[in-house]
């Protein structure tokens, strides 16, 4: 089987399904990521500065675009928005953890595949050519030559 002409094409050939899955996860993670950026503005302008809570005992709907029926006073709104912000930070952290772990796993699998293919190509040589070389030297050579590609394959 001939090798791919470029390394990027090789990476895409062997990891396309995983990359598409990872892209879908990243796109889904954009929703809580956007809300986590918008929520501090709502916290500052609403319950902290008192926007909409000018009179004593005033209430506002909690997240008017989503929960119109829930009316909260100033302290309850502050507490609810703070808890929502904390939840979004945790969710974003979990997404980041999953994406980085999956990316590293995908890179390690690709490195293993490259090593196996390289060893397969080495074993195609005639046994006569291996008489002066020890097996450990070949294994070390394969490991040392492929290892620098690890970070690149995960990012590519």
């Amino acid at each position: 089987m001939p090798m791919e002409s470029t390394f990027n094409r090789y990476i895409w050939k062997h990891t396309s399904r995983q990359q598409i899955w990872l892209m879908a996860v990243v796109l889904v993670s954009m929703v809580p990521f956007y809300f986590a950026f918008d929520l501090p503005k709502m916290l500052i302008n609403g319950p902290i500065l008192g926007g909409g809570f000018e009179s004593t005992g005033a209430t506002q709907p909690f997240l008017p675009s989503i929960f119109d029926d829930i009316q909260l006073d100033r302290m309850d709104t502050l507490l609810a928005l703070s808890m929502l912000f904390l939840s979004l930070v945790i969710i974003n952290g979990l997404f980041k953890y999953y994406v980085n772990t999956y990316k590293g796993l995908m890179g390690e699998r690709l490195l293993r595949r490259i090593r196996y293919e390289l060893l397969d190509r080495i074993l195609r040589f005639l046994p006569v050519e291996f008489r002066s070389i020890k097996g450990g030297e070949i294994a070390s050579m394969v490991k040392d030559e492929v290892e620098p590609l690890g970070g690149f394959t995960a990012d590519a």
Side-chain angles (χ1 to χ4, degrees):
M1 176 169 33
M3 293 188 74
E4 297 295 327
S5 59
T6 64
F7 194 57
N8 285 331
R9 187 173 294 159
Y10 179 86
I11 292 171
W12 178 252
K13 177 182 176 185
H14 294 291
T15 63
S16 58
R17 284 186 299 178
Q18 291 93 358
Q19 288 188 37
I20 290 170
W21 166 250
L22 202 56
M23 186 58 73
V25 169
V26 167
L27 288 175
V28 168
S29 75
M30 288 297 150
V31 175
F33 189 68
Y34 169 76
F35 284 125
F37 275 127
D38 195 44
L39 207 53
K41 180 182 74 169
M42 292 173 61
L43 268 164
I44 300 294
N45 293 340
I48 292 180
L49 293 178
F53 296 103
E54 285 77 21
S55 63
T56 305
T59 62
Q60 278 190 347
F62 178 65
L63 296 176
S65 58
I66 301 171
F67 304 110
D68 283 334
D69 300 340
I70 302 173
Q71 296 286 327
L72 299 174
D73 66 353
R74 188 173 180 176
M75 284 304 291
D76 291 337
T77 303
L78 178 63
L79 184 64
L81 288 176
S82 298
M83 290 297 118
L84 182 61
F85 182 69
L86 178 63
S87 301
L88 287 173
V89 168
I90 290 171
I91 289 170
N92 285 329
L94 290 174
F95 269 116
K96 190 179 213 181
Y97 173 77
Y98 179 80
V99 166
N100 287 332
T101 302
Y102 195 80
K103 187 172 73 168
L105 214 130
M106 192 169 46
E108 287 297 322
R109 285 182 191 152
L110 193 62
L111 274 179
R112 185 175 39 200
R113 179 183 296 273
I114 293 169
R115 285 185 193 119
Y116 286 151
E117 284 191 23
L118 192 56
L119 280 174
D120 180 54
R121 294 197 184 272
I122 289 172
L123 291 176
R124 290 181 188 177
F125 288 107
L126 296 174
V128 176
E129 298 180 33
F130 289 116
R131 288 200 177 134
S132 63
I133 302 172
K134 297 177 187 168
E137 288 179 45
I138 293 173
S140 177
M141 188 175 21
V142 168
K143 180 187 77 73
D144 292 340
E145 291 295 324
V146 173
E147 195 63 37
L149 298 174
F152 177 73
T153 57
D155 291 335

Short mmCIF file of all heavy atoms in Angstrom, two decimals, residues 8 11-24 102 106 110 153 156:
data_model
loop_
_atom_site.label_atom_id
_atom_site.label_comp_id
_atom_site.label_asym_id
_atom_site.label_seq_id
_atom_site.Cartn_x
_atom_site.Cartn_y
_atom_site.Cartn_z
N ASN A 8 -0.53 15.66 6.37
CA ASN A 8 -1.90 16.07 6.71
C ASN A 8 -2.93 15.14 6.09
O ASN A 8 -3.96 14.84 6.70
CB ASN A 8 -2.15 17.51 6.28
CG ASN A 8 -1.46 18.50 7.19
OD1 ASN A 8 -1.26 18.23 8.37
ND2 ASN A 8 -1.07 19.63 6.65
N ILE A 11 -3.02 12.02 8.17
CA ILE A 11 -3.77 12.25 9.41
C ILE A 11 -5.26 12.23 9.13
O ILE A 11 -6.04 11.59 9.85
CB ILE A 11 -3.34 13.57 10.07
CG1 ILE A 11 -1.90 13.46 10.59
CG2 ILE A 11 -4.28 13.96 11.20
CD1 ILE A 11 -1.33 14.77 11.06
N TRP A 12 -5.69 12.92 8.08
CA TRP A 12 -7.13 12.97 7.77
C TRP A 12 -7.66 11.59 7.40
O TRP A 12 -8.77 11.22 7.79
CB TRP A 12 -7.40 13.96 6.64
CG TRP A 12 -8.84 14.01 6.27
CD1 TRP A 12 -9.40 13.52 5.13
CD2 TRP A 12 -9.91 14.55 7.04
NE1 TRP A 12 -10.75 13.72 5.15
CE2 TRP A 12 -11.09 14.35 6.31
CE3 TRP A 12 -9.97 15.18 8.28
CZ2 TRP A 12 -12.34 14.77 6.78
CZ3 TRP A 12 -11.22 15.59 8.75
CH2 TRP A 12 -12.37 15.38 8.00
N LYS A 13 -6.87 10.81 6.68
CA LYS A 13 -7.32 9.48 6.25
C LYS A 13 -7.59 8.58 7.45
O LYS A 13 -8.55 7.82 7.46
CB LYS A 13 -6.26 8.85 5.35
CG LYS A 13 -6.59 7.45 4.91
CD LYS A 13 -5.48 6.88 4.06
CE LYS A 13 -5.77 5.43 3.70
NZ LYS A 13 -4.66 4.82 2.98
N HIS A 14 -6.76 8.68 8.47
CA HIS A 14 -6.86 7.76 9.60
C HIS A 14 -7.64 8.31 10.79
O HIS A 14 -7.93 7.55 11.72
CB HIS A 14 -5.47 7.32 10.04
CG HIS A 14 -4.76 6.50 9.00
ND1 HIS A 14 -5.15 5.22 8.67
CD2 HIS A 14 -3.72 6.79 8.20
CE1 HIS A 14 -4.36 4.77 7.72
NE2 HIS A 14 -3.48 5.70 7.41
N THR A 15 -7.95 9.60 10.80
CA THR A 15 -8.66 10.16 11.97
C THR A 15 -9.87 11.00 11.58
O THR A 15 -10.34 11.78 12.40
CB THR A 15 -7.70 11.02 12.82
OG1 THR A 15 -7.27 12.13 12.03
CG2 THR A 15 -6.54 10.22 13.34
N SER A 16 -10.37 10.87 10.38
CA SER A 16 -11.45 11.76 9.93
C SER A 16 -12.71 11.62 10.79
O SER A 16 -13.32 12.62 11.16
CB SER A 16 -11.76 11.52 8.46
OG SER A 16 -12.13 10.18 8.24
N ARG A 17 -13.09 10.38 11.12
CA ARG A 17 -14.30 10.21 11.94
C ARG A 17 -14.13 10.84 13.32
O ARG A 17 -15.04 11.51 13.83
CB ARG A 17 -14.65 8.74 12.09
CG ARG A 17 -15.29 8.16 10.84
CD ARG A 17 -15.73 6.76 11.08
NE ARG A 17 -14.53 5.98 11.43
CZ ARG A 17 -14.54 4.71 11.74
NH1 ARG A 17 -15.66 4.04 11.75
NH2 ARG A 17 -13.43 4.08 12.04
N GLN A 18 -12.97 10.63 13.93
CA GLN A 18 -12.73 11.20 15.26
C GLN A 18 -12.68 12.73 15.19
O GLN A 18 -13.17 13.40 16.10
CB GLN A 18 -11.42 10.67 15.85
CG GLN A 18 -11.46 9.22 16.22
CD GLN A 18 -10.96 8.33 15.11
OE1 GLN A 18 -10.62 8.79 14.03
NE2 GLN A 18 -10.93 7.04 15.36
N GLN A 19 -12.12 13.27 14.12
CA GLN A 19 -12.05 14.73 13.99
C GLN A 19 -13.43 15.33 13.78
O GLN A 19 -13.74 16.41 14.31
CB GLN A 19 -11.12 15.11 12.85
CG GLN A 19 -9.67 14.88 13.18
CD GLN A 19 -8.76 15.43 12.12
OE1 GLN A 19 -9.02 16.47 11.54
NE2 GLN A 19 -7.66 14.74 11.87
N ILE A 20 -14.28 14.65 13.02
CA ILE A 20 -15.65 15.14 12.83
C ILE A 20 -16.40 15.10 14.15
O ILE A 20 -17.13 16.04 14.49
CB ILE A 20 -16.36 14.32 11.72
CG1 ILE A 20 -15.73 14.65 10.37
CG2 ILE A 20 -17.86 14.58 11.71
CD1 ILE A 20 -16.17 13.75 9.25
N TRP A 21 -16.23 14.01 14.93
CA TRP A 21 -16.86 13.93 16.25
C TRP A 21 -16.37 15.06 17.15
O TRP A 21 -17.15 15.71 17.84
CB TRP A 21 -16.59 12.58 16.89
CG TRP A 21 -16.92 12.53 18.34
CD1 TRP A 21 -16.06 12.45 19.38
CD2 TRP A 21 -18.24 12.59 18.92
NE1 TRP A 21 -16.74 12.46 20.56
CE2 TRP A 21 -18.08 12.55 20.31
CE3 TRP A 21 -19.51 12.69 18.38
CZ2 TRP A 21 -19.14 12.58 21.18
CZ3 TRP A 21 -20.58 12.72 19.26
CH2 TRP A 21 -20.40 12.67 20.64
N LEU A 22 -15.07 15.30 17.14
CA LEU A 22 -14.49 16.35 17.98
C LEU A 22 -15.00 17.72 17.57
O LEU A 22 -15.28 18.56 18.43
CB LEU A 22 -12.97 16.28 17.89
CG LEU A 22 -12.18 16.89 19.02
CD1 LEU A 22 -12.57 16.29 20.35
CD2 LEU A 22 -10.70 16.68 18.79
N MET A 23 -15.17 17.95 16.28
CA MET A 23 -15.71 19.23 15.81
C MET A 23 -17.16 19.40 16.26
O MET A 23 -17.57 20.49 16.65
CB MET A 23 -15.61 19.32 14.29
CG MET A 23 -16.02 20.66 13.74
SD MET A 23 -15.06 22.04 14.40
CE MET A 23 -13.54 21.80 13.57
N ALA A 24 -17.94 18.32 16.24
CA ALA A 24 -19.32 18.39 16.72
C ALA A 24 -19.37 18.72 18.21
O ALA A 24 -20.18 19.55 18.64
CB ALA A 24 -20.04 17.07 16.43
N TYR A 102 -9.55 13.78 24.50
CA TYR A 102 -9.84 13.07 23.26
C TYR A 102 -8.80 13.38 22.19
O TYR A 102 -8.39 12.50 21.43
CB TYR A 102 -11.25 13.43 22.78
CG TYR A 102 -11.79 12.51 21.72
CD1 TYR A 102 -12.35 11.28 22.07
CD2 TYR A 102 -11.74 12.85 20.38
CE1 TYR A 102 -12.85 10.43 21.11
CE2 TYR A 102 -12.24 11.99 19.41
CZ TYR A 102 -12.79 10.79 19.79
OH TYR A 102 -13.27 9.94 18.83
N MET A 106 -6.43 10.65 20.47
CA MET A 106 -6.40 10.52 19.02
C MET A 106 -4.95 10.63 18.51
O MET A 106 -4.54 9.87 17.63
CB MET A 106 -7.27 11.61 18.39
CG MET A 106 -7.55 11.42 16.95
SD MET A 106 -8.81 12.53 16.29
CE MET A 106 -8.37 14.11 16.93
N LEU A 110 -2.75 7.64 16.61
CA LEU A 110 -2.11 7.89 15.31
C LEU A 110 -0.61 7.60 15.38
O LEU A 110 -0.04 7.03 14.44
CB LEU A 110 -2.38 9.32 14.86
CG LEU A 110 -2.05 9.62 13.41
CD1 LEU A 110 -2.91 8.78 12.48
CD2 LEU A 110 -2.27 11.08 13.11
N THR A 153 0.56 15.68 15.62
CA THR A 153 -0.58 14.88 15.19
C THR A 153 -1.82 15.22 16.00
O THR A 153 -2.93 15.25 15.46
CB THR A 153 -0.29 13.38 15.29
OG1 THR A 153 0.07 13.05 16.63
CG2 THR A 153 0.80 12.96 14.35
N ALA A 156 -2.96 18.65 14.68
CA ALA A 156 -3.36 18.64 13.27
C ALA A 156 -4.72 17.99 13.13
O ALA A 156 -5.51 18.32 12.28
CB ALA A 156 -2.33 17.91 12.42
#
